[in-house]
Amino acid sequence: MVSRTHIFLCSKYFNISKTSNCIFQNISKTSKLFYCTTVDIVKNKIPNTDIKKNNDTFNNMDHSEKLINTIVIENNKNIENNNTKINNELEQLHNIKFLNVNDHNLNDSLEDINEKLPGPFDRCNEDLSHIEPYITPTYNFAKFADQSNTIQQLVKLGVELYKLERDKEVIEMFLSLDFDKNIKPYIQFLSDCGVTPENLGYFITRNPKIFKEDIDDLYTRIRYLRYHNFSVKMIESIVNKHPPWLSFETREIDKRLGHFQHIFKLNGDQIRILTVKCPKLITYDMRRIKNSTFAVTEEMGFNKFETRNILLEAPRVWIRAKTEVVKTFDYLHNEMKISHTFISREPKILICRKSRLERRHKFLVELKRNQYDPTKPLYVSLSNLISGTDIDFCEKIAKQCNLYCIYCT
């Protein structure tokens, strides 16, 4: 078969396309002649560049020529892949030789190290204070006191961190804040609002989450008070007395002030006096405030005028536990025979514990000085009855300092 093909190729007049068809039909693809013939045909007939540029010419070729071109392209790809593999192998061999050449240098450098490692019982003169054991998630600030500048600065300000450790969210917040970048602007704001440096620690202890509030919102809450005719001194008193005030939204504060003004028929001056005297009452739980209002008006029987006077003079009656207030009132009204009018004039006595009030009243009964009517002589004020220490009460109210030991026992 090979001789026939050779004679056919050597003929004078022959057709290249027919010759290629004959080769592909009669010669095995594994033969060297097959490979050489395809390359020569492509070189003489259609180069690779022309195939890429002229797709129309490729489409017009007959079946055999298309087959030849496809095979040539695949062979070229295989040749390129083989060249790439060869280059990679050469680079690897070169690296191995380089390592073998410099292997003695590496061994020499290791031999130069003659440092003797310390034994387990040798004295250690190195500072190892930076080394600390791994500690699982903690719930106090002690672990971070040495590394955190924020914690150190808060301690200097007088913040009672041990009171905040129960709240894991507060611990994570302080550890994530940078003192100069995140805390200083708030301290400057509080200073502008009248919080003195010695009171900063108390303020942050009572309201540590103020650092989560937007600084613009805090300015808005101060401007709201100024808009409703609160003076600068009033605002300073509110912020210093009740730090959580600034964490309430303006709408919520406005709603609560409106509630007290509507229920107790207060004018503008009265609502401002109430806010300054007891800002905690404005932000207190509204459900408990309504329960206390019901107790004062319905259970104790005070009228609207008396209730308003109690609110303005002793607003903490609404904060104290309702049951304790009712017990104190019951003893005043039923045991001591004090009228609603006298109680409403000196309402602070409702805040006193029943046990303290009972003990002092019985002491005056023994001395026959239990006179609480202001229109009669030897009058004892209800406010004086519960104020001061036991010594002051014996000396100034009972006028019997030598009976103090009997009173105490």
Side-chain angles (χ1 to χ4, degrees):
M1 178 62 70
V2 176
S3 61
R4 292 180 184 177
T5 305
H6 179 73
I7 295 169
F8 188 74
L9 289 174
C10 293
S11 61
K12 185 176 182 181
Y13 302 101
F14 64 93
N15 191 329
I16 296 176
S17 62
K18 292 180 179 181
T19 303
S20 62
N21 288 336
C22 178
I23 293 172
F24 278 94
Q25 292 175 1
N26 297 290
I27 299 178
S28 175
K29 292 183 180 181
T30 58
S31 175
K32 295 182 179 180
L33 180 59
F34 176 85
Y35 177 76
C36 296
T37 304
T38 55
V39 174
D40 293 336
I41 291 172
V42 172
K43 286 183 178 180
N44 296 326
K45 190 68 177 177
I46 42 174
N48 288 336
T49 55
D50 294 334
I51 293 173
K52 295 180 182 179
K53 295 181 180 179
N54 301 310
N55 292 328
D56 295 337
T57 305
F58 181 80
N59 293 331
N60 294 326
M61 294 179 182
D62 58 5
H63 176 74
S64 61
E65 292 176 343
K66 291 181 180 179
L67 184 60
I68 293 171
N69 291 327
T70 304
I71 294 171
V72 170
I73 292 172
E74 292 179 355
N75 290 331
N76 288 336
K77 290 182 179 179
N78 292 332
I79 293 172
E80 291 178 358
N81 292 333
N82 292 331
N83 291 334
T84 304
K85 291 181 180 179
I86 292 171
N87 291 331
N88 292 335
E89 292 177 357
L90 290 174
E91 289 180 359
Q92 293 178 0
L93 291 173
H94 180 267
N95 293 333
I96 292 172
K97 291 180 179 179
F98 179 79
L99 290 175
N100 292 332
V101 170
N102 295 283
D103 186 34
H104 65 280
N105 295 331
L106 180 62
N107 295 330
D108 294 341
S109 62
L110 292 174
E111 291 176 356
D112 293 338
I113 301 175
N114 294 323
E115 183 178 354
K116 183 180 179 181
L117 296 177
F121 298 104
D122 293 348
R123 181 182 296 276
C124 180
N125 297 321
E126 185 181 357
D127 183 13
L128 302 177
S129 59
H130 62 283
I131 300 176
E132 59 182 6
Y134 174 76
I135 302 178
T136 55
T138 181
Y139 295 95
N140 57 58
F141 292 101
K143 175 184 175 183
F144 311 99
D146 292 336
Q147 292 83 14
S148 176
N149 179 59
T150 300
I151 301 301
Q152 295 172 6
Q153 296 300 327
L154 291 175
V155 172
K156 292 179 181 179
L157 290 174
V159 181
E160 297 173 302
L161 295 176
Y162 69 92
K163 294 183 178 180
L164 306 177
E165 291 176 346
R166 72 187 73 177
D167 192 343
K168 182 180 178 181
E169 185 179 353
V170 173
I171 295 179
E172 294 177 352
M173 180 191 68
F174 278 140
L175 295 177
S176 63
L177 293 177
D178 180 79
F179 184 82
D180 294 331
K181 182 179 179 181
N182 304 119
I183 296 181
K184 272 190 176 180
Y186 288 87
I187 293 178
Q188 181 62 49
F189 165 78
L190 295 176
S191 178
D192 295 339
C193 292
V195 180
T196 57
E198 57 271 13
N199 200 35
L200 275 174
Y202 169 79
F203 186 98
I204 298 174
T205 303
R206 291 287 308 280
N207 187 18
K209 294 184 180 180
I210 191 175
F211 300 112
K212 284 190 171 183
E213 300 288 339
D214 188 89
I215 194 72
D216 293 332
D217 292 340
L218 297 178
Y219 279 105
T220 301
R221 291 161 193 174
I222 296 298
R223 287 195 294 268
Y224 168 82
L225 295 176
R226 292 289 295 148
Y227 177 79
H228 286 82
N229 298 325
F230 284 84
S231 65
V232 175
K233 290 185 178 180
M234 288 180 175
I235 295 174
E236 291 177 357
S237 177
I238 292 171
V239 173
N240 281 281
K241 284 183 178 180
H242 188 53
W245 176 282
L246 291 175
S247 294
F248 285 82
E249 296 182 357
T250 304
R251 291 182 180 179
E252 184 67 20
I253 293 295
D254 186 72
K255 179 181 176 181
R256 290 168 178 266
L257 292 176
H259 170 80
F260 284 98
Q261 191 170 14
H262 174 72
I263 296 298
F264 300 100
K265 307 301 179 182
L266 303 177
N267 56 34
D269 291 335
Q270 289 174 334
I271 196 67
R272 281 188 285 271
I273 291 172
L274 175 63
T275 303
V276 174
K277 182 172 289 187
C278 188
K280 183 179 180 179
L281 177 63
I282 307 301
T283 61
Y284 204 61
D285 184 8
M286 291 300 299
R287 183 173 56 84
R288 295 188 61 179
I289 289 175
K290 292 178 181 179
N291 292 337
S292 297
T293 302
F294 178 83
V296 172
T297 57
E298 301 299 332
E299 297 182 28
M300 302 180 198
F302 290 99
N303 59 35
K304 292 184 179 180
F305 176 81
E306 293 169 345
T307 301
R308 182 175 59 186
N309 191 70
I310 294 172
L311 177 68
L312 295 176
E313 295 295 329
R316 295 191 68 85
V317 171
W318 272 255
I319 297 177
R320 190 167 180 251
K322 183 189 73 172
T323 55
E324 297 299 322
V325 176
V326 173
K327 288 180 182 179
T328 301
F329 169 80
D330 182 66
Y331 188 81
L332 279 169
H333 186 65
N334 297 322
E335 298 293 333
M336 297 174 61
K337 307 300 179 180
I338 308 296
S339 66
H340 286 79
T341 303
F342 287 160
I343 295 175
S344 63
R345 289 177 181 176
E346 299 181 82
K348 290 183 180 180
I349 196 169
L350 293 173
I351 306 174
C352 179
R353 297 190 307 273
K354 177 189 173 182
S355 59
R356 180 186 178 91
L357 177 64
E358 182 179 7
R359 187 170 63 248
R360 292 193 174 187
H361 169 68
K362 288 183 177 180
F363 182 67
L364 293 179
V365 170
E366 293 292 332
L367 299 175
K368 297 182 180 180
R369 296 182 61 88
N370 55 323
Q371 208 294 94
Y372 307 112
D373 188 352
T375 60
K376 297 179 181 180
L378 300 177
Y379 163 69
V380 176
S381 170
L382 295 179
S383 298
N384 293 333
L385 179 65
I386 61 173
S387 61
T389 63
D390 292 339
I391 296 178
D392 295 335
F393 172 75
C394 290
E395 293 179 352
K396 298 178 181 179
I397 306 302
K399 307 294 184 181
Q400 298 289 333
C401 59
N402 58 336
L403 296 178
Y404 172 69
C405 295
I406 299 176
Y407 166 72
C408 293
T409 56

